[in-house]
Structures are given as C-alpha cells and as structure tokens.
C-alpha cells in the first residue's frame, strides 16, 4: 500500500527491500568476523534497538517521507544491525542446546517465527484498515519498541554471555530397520 500510494510503485519497494537485504548480509559478515570479541547481550541489545531506530522505515522514517534514497539508506542501516541478530541467535542455540536436541529446537524456533508471520500481516491489515497508513505504522512501531525493550527489562537476557555446559542427554539411538 505504501509503495503504491507514496513511493509510486513496486520497483521502489524492491529497492528498499534490496537495501535492507544488502545491509543484512554485511551485518552478518561483520558479526561473523567480530562477534566473538564482544558481549552477546550488548550486541543483541544494541543491534535490536538500532534495528528498531535505524529500522524506523516501519515507523518514523516512512511517516516523515524524506525521499526514496533516504529510506533506502535507513533500510540498509537497519539491515546491517538486524543482520547480526540471526547469527547471534544461532550461536546461543548452539552453545546452550545439547547436540541431540538441536535439530528439534531449531525446527521449533523456525516454525514459531514463521507461524507468527501471518499474524503480523493480519494485525497490520487491521491496523491500517482501522487507523489508516500512518496509524498502522505507529501501532507497529509501538509493538516493536515494546519487544525491543525486553533485553533491557528482563534479567534473563543478561545470561546470553554465560556459556552453558550441558551433559549429553541419555537419548537412545534407534536404527531404522
């Protein structure tokens, strides 16, 4: 809707998503090279928050309408910081989940994240239908900000830097006959 009504077409939306994707690749590479030298909690918290602020294409930057190239730059910056979140999350899962359960845990994490996608789209549709495009951006921004603050509010997040050594589970290995 934003692409059609404000930017003038889907090509411009593609440019914005491409900028975000390019930033995400760069952020992932950067975390891969430098992440082991930094606090996981600090990196996650800062990147998640900057992903929200720099990623304000979902909120203020889109509402301000500074022009396509500024929006593309904001998407690129948001992508850079957001691109660190998945590799960091993967490191935490590999560090904390016993080897025998990793495929199940990673599968459930992916399924949970992907199953929430249609709910977000439905919520966005309801918000835009109820409050219009600006209200939809503001409501999404408020929800995202509340989620972004979780690493600062809940103390369990500070344990990201703690390496958990778990003994191997006694899971019987069965062979398929």
């Amino acid at each position: 809707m934003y692409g059609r009504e404000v930017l003038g077409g889907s090509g411009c939306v593609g440019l914005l998503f491409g900028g975000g994707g390019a930033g995400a690749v760069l952020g992932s590479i950067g975390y891969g090279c430098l992440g082991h030298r930094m606090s996981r909690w600090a990196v996650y918290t800062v990147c998640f928050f900057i992903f929200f602020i720099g990623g304000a294409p979902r909120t203020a930057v889109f509402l301000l309408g500074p022009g396509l190239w500024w929006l593309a730059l904001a998407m690129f910056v948001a992508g850079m910081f957001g691109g660190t979140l998945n590799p960091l999350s993967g490191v935490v899962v590999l560090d904390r989940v016993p080897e025998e359960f990793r495929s199940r845990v990673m599968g459930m994490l992916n399924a949970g994240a992907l199953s929430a996608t249609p709910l977000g789209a439905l919520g966005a549709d309801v918000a835009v239908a109820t409050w219009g495009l600006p209200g939809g951006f503001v409501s999404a921004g408020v929800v995202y900000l509340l989620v972004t603050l979780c690493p600062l509010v809940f103390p369990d997040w500070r344990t990201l830097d703690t390496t958990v050594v778990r003994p191997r589970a006694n899971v019987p290995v069965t062979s398929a006959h």
Side-chain angles (χ1 to χ4, degrees):
M1 181 178 192
Y2 186 84
R4 182 182 66 239
E5 292 183 10
V6 177
L7 296 177
S10 61
C12 296
V13 174
L15 176 69
L16 297 182
F17 283 120
V25 168
L26 187 60
S28 294
I29 292 169
Y31 181 75
C33 294
L34 303 172
H36 65 283
R37 300 178 186 173
M38 299 178 266
S39 158
R40 291 178 189 168
W41 176 81
V43 169
Y44 193 88
T45 303
V46 167
C47 288
F48 203 25
F49 194 72
I50 291 176
F51 181 61
F52 170 73
I53 298 299
R58 287 177 282 288
T59 54
V61 173
F62 273 88
L63 291 174
L64 295 173
L68 181 62
W69 295 107
W70 286 107
L71 292 172
L73 178 62
M75 289 290 285
F76 178 80
V77 170
M80 270 190 357
F81 287 97
T84 64
L85 300 175
N86 283 338
L88 189 141
S89 298
V91 167
V92 171
V93 168
L94 290 173
D95 185 40
R96 294 182 174 222
V97 176
E99 188 176 341
E100 304 82 39
F101 299 113
R102 286 184 188 153
S103 62
R104 294 176 199 149
V105 169
M106 289 178 168
M108 287 303 297
L109 288 172
N110 287 333
L114 292 174
S115 66
T117 302
L119 297 176
L122 178 63
D125 186 46
V126 169
V128 170
T130 305
W131 301 303
L133 193 56
F137 276 118
V138 170
S139 63
V142 168
V143 169
Y144 203 92
L145 177 61
L146 294 174
V147 171
T148 301
L149 295 175
C150 286
L152 296 172
V153 175
F154 298 108
D156 287 347
W157 283 89
R158 296 200 183 264
T159 66
L160 284 176
D161 292 317
T162 306
T163 300
V164 177
V165 179
R166 299 186 188 274
R168 290 183 62 88
N170 291 328
V171 176
V173 177
T174 60
S175 61
H177 294 294

